Structure formats: structure tokens, C-alpha cells
Amino acid sequence: MFYLITLLIYGAVDVIACLGLSQQFGVAGVTNFGFIIFQAAGAYVAASLALPSDTANGGYQIYIGGLHLPFPMPLIGAALAGALLALPFTFLVGRRLRGDFAAIGLLVTAVLLNLLVTDYRPLFNGDAGVAQVPAPLQSGIFILSSTTYRWVFVAAVIVLAAGVYMFLRRITESPYGRTLRAMRDNDKVADSLGKNLVSLRTGVLVLGGAIAGLSGGVLVSFISVWSPAAWSYAETIVLFAAVIIGGAGNHRGAILGAILVPVGFEEVTRLITNSNPSLPPNLLPSLQWVAIGLLIVLFLWFRPQGVLPERKRLIAVPAPAAGPASEPPAGPAASGHDGQSLLTRGEVARARKGAPGAAGGDDILQAVGLSRDFGGVQAVSDVTFTVRRATLTGLIGPNGAGKSTLLALLAGTDRPSAGTILYNGQDITALPAFRRARMGLVRTFQLASEFKRLTVMENLLSAAPGNRGDSFRGAVAGRRYWRGDEAAAIARATDILRRFGLDKLANDYAGDLSGGQRRLVEIMRALMAEPDVLLLDEPMAGVHPELARRIGDTLVGLCREGLTILMVEHELAIMDEFCDPVIVMAQGSLLAQGTMAQLRERTEVVEAYLVG
Amino acid sequence: MSLFLASVGFGLITSAVLAIASVGFTLQFAVTDVLNLAFAAVMTAGAFVAYWVNQAGVSVWIGLAAAMVACSVLSVLLNLAVYAPFQRRGTSPITLVIVSLGMALIIEFGIQAVVGGVNVSYSMGQGRTFRAGGLVLTTVQIVIIAISVAVMAAVHVLLRYSRLGKAMRATAANRTLARNCGIRASRVITITWAITGGLCGLAGAVFAIDIGSFGPTSDDLFLILILAAVFLGGPGDAYGAMIGALVIGLGTEVSAAYIQPDYKYVIAFVALLAMLALRPTGLLGARARG
């Protein structure tokens, strides 16, 4: 009986931990190889808060704290400890550091913290660890038989695990959760759409840390001992195996994984050991680790989505607003024909548009002496130009002319070595990409950059600014709080999808679309961000000429409505037809600027473009 | 003073072993794009191959060569059977790191399942002991340092003056471009696994000689030192890794003489995190890898 109770408690604790890890790794794409140290911190703090001071406790173990606090305090402390421990690591998961390097940093931290706590006895009794941690409420209010008490404990922990599941589901299924998944699929693009990666990842680390800490607190309350052996870095790998096998990104998968891997393995090992006492003592634990390694590798190869894959979030596309359904789709060329603009502004954009018109005058975007060198190679050197409001400005030049680099500098994806960028007359050179996006300066990318595991509809929705549910607090507040904003965003996205003729694909995964369709998704998504200036990097590359023309017509229509576009393009025919003025770059420098007709007159331009 | 010199002696040996491993690890990462966390597990395999050869009554120095060959083959197989298929499928770098962690478990605990959990040591003499001031080194230790210096020189010659080295640097800088320039990238990658695997086996056996008594999990912590040295020098930068190994090796051992030896790894830890936070491209900065 006691055995079953222990099993249930371990299972529930593993479920809680795996849920926290699933939120970090599966939903937000933050690979925390140090996950176990957050559980350990929770366990130690809970122990330290629950135990009486070490001198009053027989003196055979030493530890800091020993506050002897009553029931809920140790667990609250455990969750807080996990959350606070996450803060120093936020620098690792910031914008600059590759995800795998950050993961290595966390792994190293986990190994060395374990070593330190093992060797430094005054903190938590070193290698031996703390023991005799009082169970919550065992003496005092409830006078129950020990078996009844344990069953109540089991029930409480299962309820707690269910609560964690409900809470995480609430967060994951909100606009905030969608933003986390977008960041997981492509963080650079999320940044360019106005998502603050540092704050998002900090939130993810803190929440996951709190959940891990809580799981540690619960565990130590039951088993009453905690030592470094319980939280070697390898335990993190077991949890990762559980989440990968169960299905990263699906919280039910995390629960399944927790039951299959950590619990299942312990049990199988115990059964075999009990039935064959003659086996060498090290053999089974070794084979257990080999099996976990095999499971990880084989699952990542044969079923990377896990047993229970992340499920698709279907969003019903509202029926066409008014108008007879028989009317044929207008097609993008007729943008704005039914009196509704693609640029219909949300409140955010309107607030944003309040002043700036006057501030920058007609020159909405200016580059002054802009340079960028990569270790001696001048990709962009001393470029000065102006983009006028409501124009469709083209940017051409031979391969390697620095067009994409220039676009990256303007959007904030990359930082200039020298020079200034003015937007509406304001110096934005030092602002990160997500701030520029929030000010209405939005870019697209040359390479495919859709959020692969989001549907087309979700791709568009992820870019909608000002959704009340697109923050941790908004997500916690629940669906009722953000339903209105979400419905408005869905309506706007539907409108854009119809105009580009992609509404039939709204609930397809963006990663499953054709190359041309993905380009469309990207343009539509950028429009969802309610830009004032749109920076497009070869939007028509790889797109059928017919479709390219329709895109061009749409863009021209948008410019008439007041949008400003700067577009990199190779196809001179497109430049001829849609762009005015056109800027020519070669070898990092600005060569000429004017209408295509003017440019054709100038031999150096023709030479640079043909010979370059 | 003699305490200081003695700790410098230890530091030099640790640096020598660490440099072989770190250069192998960093070159592997630069050319193949795999952040191979199974590196230490392969080292362990090398140490045991040398042990078995040594048990058969052969000198451990021959065992070194056997370890190099075995780990070279093991690394090539590891790439062909596991990493390359994942990479062809377009697996993300972070997933590949998780795969390598899985392979680390399989190799390390596979060895443990075979040899059991008991530590072993090579049967070998330590040779004469040399003293210079407080600096005390045995013949074996001097040989280890000499091997390491020779390996560093060989890596330098390989990278700077050979066609293969140039092809490796080109592949590291841009695999697609290298392929378009007529470099057979997949062959260069396989050769790189063979070379770095050889370095890995050498490091494993030499590390086992250095620590005297070793077991299947002895290299776990050494992986942390390798990572620290590699990140200190800038991931993918062989010369950076050499400097990183020297800094980490001397830093841990010299600090061990003055603070409690238990905390000597703190230096490596702080160095690694500081580098990740401040200069993710390493001490030498973001220059061309190689």
C-alpha cells in the first residue's frame, strides 16, 4: 500500500515537473538543460522553511534557514525560489545567444551547482543532504492515521498537478501562448513582428522555474530527505526524454511522458531487480540509462512529434461579412473596393499615428551615412537616402550589393557600424527590432520565415498588435478578458486572407504550403502588424508571375491608401511596373536614385547591374 | 612559492590534456556543425580500449594509438549512422544537441554495463621525477605535455598549410559555398570526424593516464572543462580553444592550491558563463574560424 502511495506521489510530482518543462521546451522553444536545479532549489527552500533551526534539530545536520514555518509557507517558498533562481539566467536566453549555446550554459550550471552544493556543507548539509523534513500539517490540525494522511496527501498532489495543467493550458491557448509558439518556430521573425524576446523568455524561465520549484517542494514534503544525488544533471535528461516521448508542445503528452518514462522506468527496474537478485549491481541502472538514451534518439528520428503530437488549433473563419455570397472573390487587385481597407487600423495603430505625420514631414524613413562591416568587408558603406511617405520605393542591385543587409539595418535585425536611421524624424538607430516593429516599421525576410507549426490563420494573428491576451497577465485573466480583441483580429485576418485568396488554407499549417503561398503568408502577416512602413525582401522571388503581378497591384493599392513600402527586388520588369522611385546599390554603396526611366539613361547603373 | 609552482605543474598537465580534447571538440563543431556532447563518452571508450590493450600485456603507449584508431572509427560511425542522417533531414541545432546527449548516455552507460562500476588503472611506470624549484614532474607527465605540444603544432600545420586544412576551414565557414567551389564537403566532414575522433581517443587515454584511476563516468566533469575551454576561445576556433585550455587548466589547478580544491571548477564555471554573457564569440572575437 505504501508502495502504491509512493508511486502515485512520484508520478504526480513528475507530471508537474514535465508540464513545466513542456511549457519551456515544447511551447516556447527554450531548451533548459538545467531544469533540475530549479526543482532542487524548490526542494531545498521548502526543507529549509519547514525544518526547525539546525541547532535545535539534534545538530547532526547543518543547513541555513530552519524557520519551522507552517504548511503553505514551505511550498510557496519553493515556487518562489524556483522563480527567483530563473532571473540570473535570463541573460543566457536573451536575443543574442544561440539557443544551443544557452542550453550548454544551463547544463554546465546544473553540473557545477550540484558539485558546489555537494562540497559546501554549511548550505544544505553537503553530500549527505537534509533529512527529516516535516510533512505538512501532519502534526497539529489533522490528527489522522498515517495511512489516511498519506492518501489525503496523494489526493492533494494530484489535484495540484491537475491545477498546474489547467493553468498552463489557459496560458498556452491564449494569444500569449501563440506568441510563445511563434517565438519557438522562428525567434528572429517574432522579434521583427514586435515581440520582446527577452521578456518573453524571462517569463517562460520564471514560470517554468516556479513550477519546477513547486514540484521539488512537494516531493521533499513527502520523502522528507533531499540530497545532491537526487538532482544530478542526468535527471533533467530523464524529464526531457519524458517530454519528447509524450509529445513536446502538448501538455497531455507531457503527462503521458511523465507516467511512461520516469515512473515506468523505476518500476520496471525494481521488478527486474527483485526477481533476479543475482544480477551485477550496476548492470540494470546502466542499461536503464542506455534505454533512455535510445528512446530519445529513436523518438527524435521516428516520431519527433511524440506519442501525442501538438494538436492543431483550428479557428473558424467567419462567413463573408455582408454582400451576396455569390459575388466572385474580388482578388487582391481590387483592394479597398468594398470600402474596407486592408490597413484598417486597430486602436494601437491609431494611437501611434496620432502625431508623427508632422514630425517627419514627407520623409518617413531616412538613412544617414549608414555603414555595416563584417570583419573588414564593407557590406554597406556610407549609404544616405530618404524614403518618402506613401511611395513604393524599389531597391535593386547585383547579388552582394548589400540590399538585404541594408534592410536588416533599417528594421533593427542588425546594428550599423556607423550612421543614423531616422523614422518620422526620430532617431531609432539604437532601438531593437521589436520596438521598431511596434512603431510601425515592419520587415519581411528573403528566406522562408513562416511560423511552420502555426496555421496560416495563427501566423496572421500572431502579428496583430495590441491584443489584450498577448501578455502573461492577459493570458492568466482568461478567455473572457481577451475574446473581443481576438475576434477583431480574426475578422481582420480573414479579410486579408480573402483578398489574397488564401482563406481556404486558413487552417493549414504554414509549413505545409508551397513556396509561393508561404511568401504570401509572410506579406499578409506583415500587414497584420499594421505597419506604416513595410520593408519587403524579395517578396516575389519564387512566386508565379501571375501571382507576382497581383501582389504588385495590391502593394500599389496599399501605397495609395498611405502605406510606405521599401522593396528589394531583382526583377526589373516588376520595378518598371510598380516602383517609383528606385534606388540602385552596388558593392555596398548607393549608386543612383530615380524613376526606372531615368535610371536606364545612366550607363553606370546599367553596367553595375549587368556586369556587377 | 613552491606551492604555486607545484600547482602550475598540475595546471600544465591538465592544460595539456584539455588542449587535445578542446581542439578536437572545437574543430568537430566548426566543420561538422555538431555540438557533440557525446565527446566525453567517446573519450571514455578510448580510455578503455587503451586499458584492454594494456591488459593484454602491451605498453600503454601502444594503447594510445589503439585508442586513437578506435575513437576515430567510432566517431566516423557516429556521424554516418546518427548525426549525418539527422542533419540531412534539416534537424535544428538544438535537437541535434539533444540527440548527442542521448548518444552520450548510450555510449557511457553501455561501457558501464560491460565493465561494471569499478575504477581501473593502467599498469605502467611513472618514470623518473624531475624537480625544478617547486615544479615537480614525472617522465610520464613530461611526455603528456610533449604529446600535447606536438598535437597543437600538427593541428596548426594542418589548418594553415595543407589542402585538407584549407578545405576544412572553407567547409566550416560556409558548407554550401565550399561545395559549390568544388570541395567535396561530405568527404571533408567524414575526414574531420576521423581526425577529431582520433584526438578524442588520444585525449581519453591521456586523461586516464593523468588521473591514474578511472571509470566509465570519470569523464563527465571533464566535459564541462572542455566546454569551458571551447567557449572561452570561441566555439569553432582551434587557436582559441588552445588558449582556453591553458587558461582553464592553469586557472583550476592554481586556484585549487589557494582555495579548497573542491571548488576549483568554479573558475571554469564563472569563465564559461561570463563568456556566454559578454562575448559569445570567444576571447579572440568573431574572426574567421579555423
Side-chain angles (χ1 to χ4, degrees):
Chain A
M1 202 54 152
F2 181 67
Y3 173 67
L4 178 65
I5 290 172
T6 312
L7 196 63
L8 284 171
I9 300 247
Y10 268 101
V13 166
D14 284 330
V15 164
I16 296 175
C18 282
L19 281 169
L21 187 64
S22 168
Q23 176 74 8
Q24 291 188 334
F25 173 64
V27 175
V30 174
T31 312
N32 182 357
F33 277 166
F35 190 78
I36 203 71
I37 60 177
F38 298 92
Q39 190 181 44
Y44 278 125
V45 167
S48 161
L49 293 181
L51 281 162
S53 84
D54 53 357
T55 43
N57 198 19
Y60 66 92
Q61 50 176 349
I62 48 177
Y63 43 81
I64 56 164
L67 302 181
H68 205 39
L69 294 176
F71 161 58
M73 298 314 288
L75 289 185
I76 293 170
L80 270 179
L84 287 177
L85 184 65
L87 290 177
F89 295 103
T90 50
F91 76 89
L92 271 180
V93 295
R95 236 168 308 135
R96 289 193 308 148
L97 198 57
R98 285 175 51 163
D100 47 351
F101 289 5
I104 300 283
L106 280 156
L107 177 71
V108 171
T109 307
V111 173
L112 286 166
L113 269 187
N114 189 285
L115 207 64
L116 266 185
V117 174
T118 306
D119 290 335
Y120 186 65
R121 189 149 175 254
L123 205 52
F124 294 113
N125 207 33
D127 197 17
V130 289
Q132 289 193 315
V133 179
L137 298 179
Q138 195 170 17
S139 55
I141 310 167
F142 290 116
I143 311 291
L144 298 169
S145 76
S146 70
T147 312
T148 319
Y149 173 79
R150 289 201 189 100
W151 278 113
V152 172
F153 198 113
V154 167
V157 177
I158 290 177
V159 168
L160 184 65
V164 170
Y165 167 71
M166 303 292 280
F167 181 73
L168 285 181
R169 197 178 64 169
R170 188 184 188 112
I171 286 175
T172 308
E173 301 309 318
S174 73
Y176 172 74
R178 184 167 56 222
T179 297
L180 293 180
R181 291 187 297 126
M183 173 174 78
R184 168 197 71 193
D185 281 5
N186 197 329
D187 56 351
K188 213 184 208 177
V189 175
D191 186 27
S192 80
L193 289 171
K195 310 299 182 194
N196 184 345
L197 301 182
V198 176
S199 114
L200 285 171
R201 289 196 176 126
T202 302
V204 167
L205 270 190
V206 169
L207 177 63
I211 292 172
L214 185 64
S215 76
V218 170
L219 187 56
V220 80
S221 305
F222 181 75
I223 60 175
S224 82
V225 290
W226 193 251
S227 70
W231 54 283
S232 83
Y233 75 97
E235 300 294 330
T236 309
I237 307 179
V238 177
L239 296 179
F240 262 95
V243 170
I244 288 169
I245 289 164
N250 181 336
H251 292 318
R252 275 178 218 176
I255 295 174
L256 179 69
I259 293 166
L260 286 178
V261 182
V263 180
F265 260 96
E266 286 298 316
E267 288 335 292
V268 171
T269 318
R270 199 191 307 260
L271 277 176
I272 299 177
T273 320
N274 288 348
S275 54
N276 302 298
S278 60
L279 285 171
N282 246 310
L283 185 63
L284 271 176
S286 304
L287 289 180
Q288 190 181 338
W289 285 111
V290 171
I292 285 181
L294 275 173
L295 275 176
I296 292 177
V297 175
L298 292 177
F299 257 88
L300 284 176
W301 179 256
F302 289 107
R303 200 172 164 84
Q305 72 275 39
V307 175
L308 296 176
E310 182 174 16
R311 56 175 195 80
K312 198 187 240 182
R313 276 83 172 173
L314 298 174
I315 294 172
V317 178
S326 57
E327 188 183 324
S335 110
H337 96 119
D338 57 8
Q340 223 185 346
S341 163
L342 283 189
L343 295 174
T344 310
R345 305 277 162 174
E347 276 168 39
V348 173
R350 245 179 267 123
R352 192 168 70 206
K353 283 187 79 80
D362 203 28
D363 302 334
I364 190 162
L365 185 63
Q366 286 173 282
V368 183
L370 218 50
S371 298
R372 176 73 171 104
D373 57 298
F374 296 104
V377 181
Q378 285 271 330
V380 171
S381 70
D382 197 22
V383 167
T384 301
F385 70 92
T386 299
V387 176
R388 278 180 296 115
R389 194 179 297 282
T391 57
L392 177 43
T393 305
L395 179 58
I396 60 169
N399 286 326
K403 306 180 297 290
S404 289
T405 308
L406 180 62
L407 218 60
L409 296 178
L410 293 175
T413 320
D414 194 6
R415 294 296 168 89
S417 319
T420 316
I421 303 162
L422 299 175
Y423 175 62
N424 278 324
Q426 186 189 342
D427 185 349
I428 58 163
T429 319
L431 293 183
F434 77 91
R435 291 225 176 281
R436 298 187 201 191
R438 288 178 186 180
M439 293 167 74
L441 184 60
V442 177
R443 72 167 294 188
T444 65
F445 289 80
Q446 186 179 2
L447 297 172
S449 63
E450 75 285 352
F451 300 127
K452 284 191 173 57
R453 287 190 284 163
L454 267 59
T455 65
V456 172
M457 176 59 98
E458 284 185 303
N459 262 272
L460 264 63
L461 293 179
S462 71
N467 191 323
R468 292 212 290 180
D470 194 4
S471 69
F472 181 72
R473 286 179 57 185
V476 173
R479 191 177 294 272
R480 221 174 286 167
Y481 177 72
W482 46 262
R483 200 163 45 191
D485 283 358
E486 181 80 347
I490 290 174
R492 219 162 74 75
T494 307
D495 187 36
I496 294 181
L497 281 168
R498 287 230 168 81
R499 281 164 201 269
F500 281 85
L502 239 58
D503 49 325
K504 296 280 184 301
L505 300 176
N507 280 316
D508 282 22
Y509 278 123
D512 296 341
L513 302 184
S514 75
Q517 288 167 333
R518 278 186 266 177
R519 305 246 50 148
L520 281 184
V521 168
E522 207 183 335
I523 296 171
M524 292 188 294
R525 189 178 59 194
L527 288 174
M528 270 306 278
E530 304 184 356
D532 292 326
V533 174
L534 198 51
L535 305 169
L536 299 175
D537 201 347
E538 299 192 29
M540 288 124 170
V543 175
H544 188 272
E546 185 88 4
L547 185 55
R549 183 165 308 276
R550 276 167 55 191
I551 295 175
D553 286 333
T554 312
L555 296 179
V556 170
L558 289 169
C559 289
R560 283 206 197 98
E561 292 171 35
L563 182 68
T564 311
I565 298 176
L566 177 65
M567 176 168 87
V568 173
E569 191 50 69
H570 271 295
E571 202 61 54
L572 285 175
I574 290 175
M575 285 286 171
D576 262 330
E577 192 167 347
F578 301 112
C579 297
D580 178 33
V582 170
I583 298 169
V584 186
M585 274 185 88
Q587 291 169 0
S589 304
L590 206 71
L591 207 60
Q593 186 169 4
T595 64
M596 274 309 281
Q598 288 167 341
L599 292 175
R600 279 186 199 287
E601 311 274 299
R602 300 178 56 173
T603 48
E604 78 268 25
V605 173
V606 176
E607 261 168 33
Y609 206 62
L610 296 179
V611 180
Chain B
M1 194 56 196
S2 74
L3 179 67
F4 176 75
L5 278 177
S7 64
V8 166
F10 282 121
L12 284 178
I13 301 156
T14 304
S15 299
V17 180
L18 193 54
I20 301 173
S22 306
V23 167
F25 186 98
T26 214
L27 276 182
Q28 206 166 68
F29 171 63
V31 179
T32 72
D33 258 354
V34 181
L35 209 51
N36 181 18
L37 293 185
F39 195 86
V42 177
M43 275 177 64
T44 307
F48 274 96
V49 167
Y51 173 72
W52 290 319
V53 170
N54 184 234
Q55 284 297 96
V58 183
S59 155
V60 75
W61 303 106
I62 311 273
L64 279 190
M68 288 179 74
V69 173
C71 291
S72 193
V73 172
L74 179 58
S75 298
V76 169
L77 288 179
L78 196 58
N79 178 52
L80 289 182
V82 184
Y83 298 144
F86 270 106
Q87 278 183 324
R88 269 198 299 276
R89 212 191 236 189
T91 302
S92 68
I94 188 66
T95 309
L96 216 53
V97 171
I98 297 174
V99 170
S100 80
L101 211 50
M103 292 313 298
L105 289 182
I106 294 171
I107 297 170
E108 181 177 326
F109 288 97
I111 296 172
Q112 192 172 66
V114 174
V115 304
V118 199
N119 278 15
V120 296
S121 41
Y122 301 133
S123 61
M124 62 184 296
Q126 290 298 315
R128 273 186 56 200
T129 303
F130 297 88
R131 289 167 204 278
L135 198 65
V136 186
L137 291 172
T138 63
T139 311
V140 168
Q141 290 174 323
I142 290 169
V143 171
I144 290 177
I145 294 173
I147 290 177
S148 180
V149 171
V151 166
M152 296 308 117
V155 167
H156 172 67
V157 170
L158 170 77
L159 289 177
R160 286 294 141 198
Y161 304 108
S162 73
R163 274 183 69 85
L164 174 64
K166 281 185 187 134
M168 282 169 66
R169 275 156 55 205
T171 311
N174 188 329
R175 191 181 291 190
T176 320
L177 203 60
R179 202 169 273 147
N180 292 344
C181 293
I183 293 170
R184 283 197 263 173
S186 60
R187 224 182 90 186
V188 172
I189 287 168
T190 305
I191 295 173
T192 303
W193 278 103
I195 294 174
T196 56
L199 290 178
C200 178
L202 179 64
V206 168
F207 178 65
I209 294 175
D210 181 33
I211 60 173
S213 154
F214 66 96
T217 53
S218 301
D219 290 353
D220 279 4
L221 212 51
F222 196 64
L223 178 66
I224 301 299
L225 293 190
I226 297 174
L227 291 171
V230 165
F231 277 83
L232 200 59
D237 185 336
Y239 299 102
M242 295 177 195
I243 297 171
L246 203 59
V247 172
I248 297 290
L250 284 173
T252 49
E253 298 299 342
V254 173
S255 69
Y258 295 96
I259 57 174
Q260 274 198 56
D262 288 338
Y263 310 134
K264 65 181 184 180
Y265 294 113
V266 173
I267 297 279
F269 173 53
V270 172
L272 180 84
L273 287 188
M275 286 310 287
L276 283 174
L278 305 173
R279 276 191 84 100
T281 47
L283 276 181
L284 302 179
R287 32 165 250 176
R289 288 160 163 189

